[in-house]
Amino acid sequence: MPILPILIVVLRLSLVEDAKHLDGFTLPSLPSEHLIRYLNTFPKLKQQLPTNLTAKGTISSACWGHERDCTPAGRFQTPQCPGEHTGWARSKEAQVRTFYNQADFGYIQEQLSQLTPQCVPTYLGDSSLECTHYLRFCRGRNLLFDFRDLVQREERIRYHMDVLGPGQLLGHCNLNRTRLAGEMEHIGSALQSWGPELRNFDVLPHPVLESGLCDVVVNTPTFIMKIDATYNMYHHFCDFFNLYASLFVNQSHPAAFNTDVQILIWETYPYDSPFRDTFKAFSQRPVWTLSDVEGKRVCFKNVVLPLLPRMIFGLFYNTPIVRGCSNSGLFRAFSEFILHRLQIPYKPPQQRIRITYLSRRTKYRQVLNEDELLAPLEANDKYAVQRVSYERLSFTNQLAITRNTDILIGMHGAGLTHLLFLPNWACIFELYNCEDPNCYKDLARLRGVRYRTWEQRELVYPQDEGHHPEGGAHAKFTNYSFDVKEFVHLVDKAAKEILSHKEFPRETSENPSTTQHNEL
């Protein structure tokens, strides 16, 4: 066993025991490799730990990748860019660097380098505001948000760009109005920038907390989120992923990964989502919406306006990925963080490849002959097959299945976002992409798992041409049957790739259970 994993285990056990001695500060709950890098980010905190553990060379050099002094050898993960770079970058090094800056911790480094003061305090109790370019990410202190007018709004608020009016966002600091106005280019929609809100920023003549204007003072650090969706997993995880990435941009204090924070969703609709448990990875407090603060002037001592789900050239949804590269360490870190915080159990693979087939219960994109497709796999001793309908399960139970799956099979749809939480060696088999070829292929590249989809168009049989609700034929609005032999062939190819993966565990069970087919 390599020395680094052993050191990580020893360090983790020691940190759990010694956390109570860190001047009253409790270490955040993080996976071991994350915790090591967290401690290296805050050397004063690290100095309070036993030197015989933290002085190890491989541990002391471990970094995320956004740090200026982080070496490629110390990074959390290095992208993979095999094959030719010609046509996509000037050199192999440039190709790797481009991917790293587009979709990995290089993006975080870029945001950190862009952080610029917009409103500067004079005294300790004054307000402050700093933002990255185009107001994609901002954070401030002692700011007043005036929500009194919201009680007069007849319509529910979602994706609105007029939640605040002039002078309804206030601070006592030296505002650089020219600089702030120069960052307003990306306000084409509510989810691209914080410009629609910050264009209303104005200055109070007296310190906010002494002004007598605050109806409510929020002492808890607060993340205000403009979210993309609640019931579509792909789009809601754009929100969660960008919230996670924002933790690194905001990582100026050891409390950066603490869960004693408040989440405020920038809409008046009650927050309800089948994925709501994911917020527990970030906050131990109930989620607020604007309905919880409407009619009040709310003063936030510490507030973060995180990265947004639909930024131009942003993360996850609008990520421009250079050809030929995969395996973003930032996406892998997000996966591990969520699984760890939600305490999703992990079971090592046994002798058989674990196949999970996602059975759709929707009107469209059902597989009409799924029993025929699965029968040969169920009869094969190499495979352990389960067919599931995730909409019938809690989200944490869904994750428990996904985390312990080697091949995840399903039709094009938001449920394939589960590929984020597959093991590193796993394969996502998008049975048919319904003429949307890049969505989950790109997400698989970012996460670093294998991707397969149907290859022989003449061996897939649509029920009809598909009928879009707004008219015209559309591949996403019909059901399908597939050639059984070709399906098994593609699954076998995926299984061979998994078995050859360098991270696939080689240990097997001495007494594997018999092949079974589970329906959930």
Side-chain angles (χ1 to χ4, degrees), residues 153-207:
R153 302 281 282 264
E154 295 182 0
E155 80 282 10
R156 289 282 181 88
I157 292 173
R158 175 177 288 166
Y159 310 138
H160 282 53
M161 298 175 66
D162 61 349
V163 176
L164 299 178
Q168 291 186 328
L169 176 51
L170 299 168
H172 178 67
C173 44
N174 299 307
L175 176 62
N176 190 324
R177 297 180 185 275
T178 302
R179 179 182 293 167
L180 185 62
E183 299 290 358
M184 295 289 175
E185 294 181 26
H186 288 189
I187 57 172
S189 77
L191 302 183
Q192 291 180 345
S193 162
W194 289 100
E197 292 72 37
L198 293 177
R199 63 187 172 184
N200 299 297
F201 195 99
D202 211 339
V203 177
L204 270 178
H206 305 292

Side-chain angles (χ1 to χ4, degrees), residues 290-305:
L290 288 176
S291 296
D292 292 295
V293 294
E294 65 181 6
K296 304 170 186 175
R297 290 169 296 187
V298 182
C299 298
F300 297 95
K301 285 192 172 181
N302 290 279
V303 64
V304 176
L305 309 179

Side-chain angles (χ1 to χ4, degrees), residues 15 33 59 63 71 74 85 130 132 134 176 186 204-205 250 309 361 372 383 396 399 417 419 444 462 484 502 516:
L15 293 179
E33 287 195 30
I59 289 179
C63 47
T71 65
H85 65 272
E130 58 180 340
T132 62
Y134 308 117
N176 190 324
H186 288 189
L204 270 178
N250 190 49
R361 296 290 181 262
E372 296 175 54
Y383 301 132
T396 52
L399 289 179
T417 309
L419 69 86
V484 175
K502 64 181 181 180
Q516 58 182 353

Side-chain angles (χ1 to χ4, degrees), residues 66 107-115 132 248-250:
H66 62 75
Y107 188 93
I108 304 298
Q109 185 182 83
E110 184 178 70
Q111 295 302 306
L112 287 167
S113 70
Q114 293 176 4
L115 269 175
T132 62
F248 291 97
V249 185
N250 190 49

Side-chain angles (χ1 to χ4, degrees), residues 352-414:
R352 294 171 297 141
I353 297 293
R354 301 165 298 180
I355 298 175
T356 298
Y357 177 89
L358 300 182
S359 183
R360 291 177 66 91
R361 296 290 181 262
T362 55
K363 183 177 180 180
Y364 300 114
R365 280 172 272 157
Q366 291 188 33
V367 177
L368 302 176
N369 65 331
E370 64 181 35
D371 289 340
E372 296 175 54
L373 295 179
L374 295 178
L377 303 183
E378 297 165 18
N380 192 327
D381 290 340
K382 296 187 302 182
Y383 301 132
V385 181
Q386 60 178 334
R387 177 176 7 187
V388 301
S389 295
Y390 270 173
E391 61 267 26
R392 299 177 178 179
L393 303 175
S394 71
F395 184 56
T396 52
N397 284 339
Q398 294 176 32
L399 289 179
I401 294 172
T402 302
R403 186 178 193 182
N404 297 289
T405 291
D406 302 313
I407 302 176
L408 182 64
I409 305 174
M411 286 289 288
H412 178 88

Side-chain angles (χ1 to χ4, degrees), residues 2-12 36 53 56 58-59:
I3 187 65
L4 183 55
I6 296 175
L7 291 174
I8 289 172
V9 172
V10 174
L11 177 60
R12 180 66 180 177
I36 289 166
L53 287 172
K56 304 292 185 182
T58 43
I59 289 179

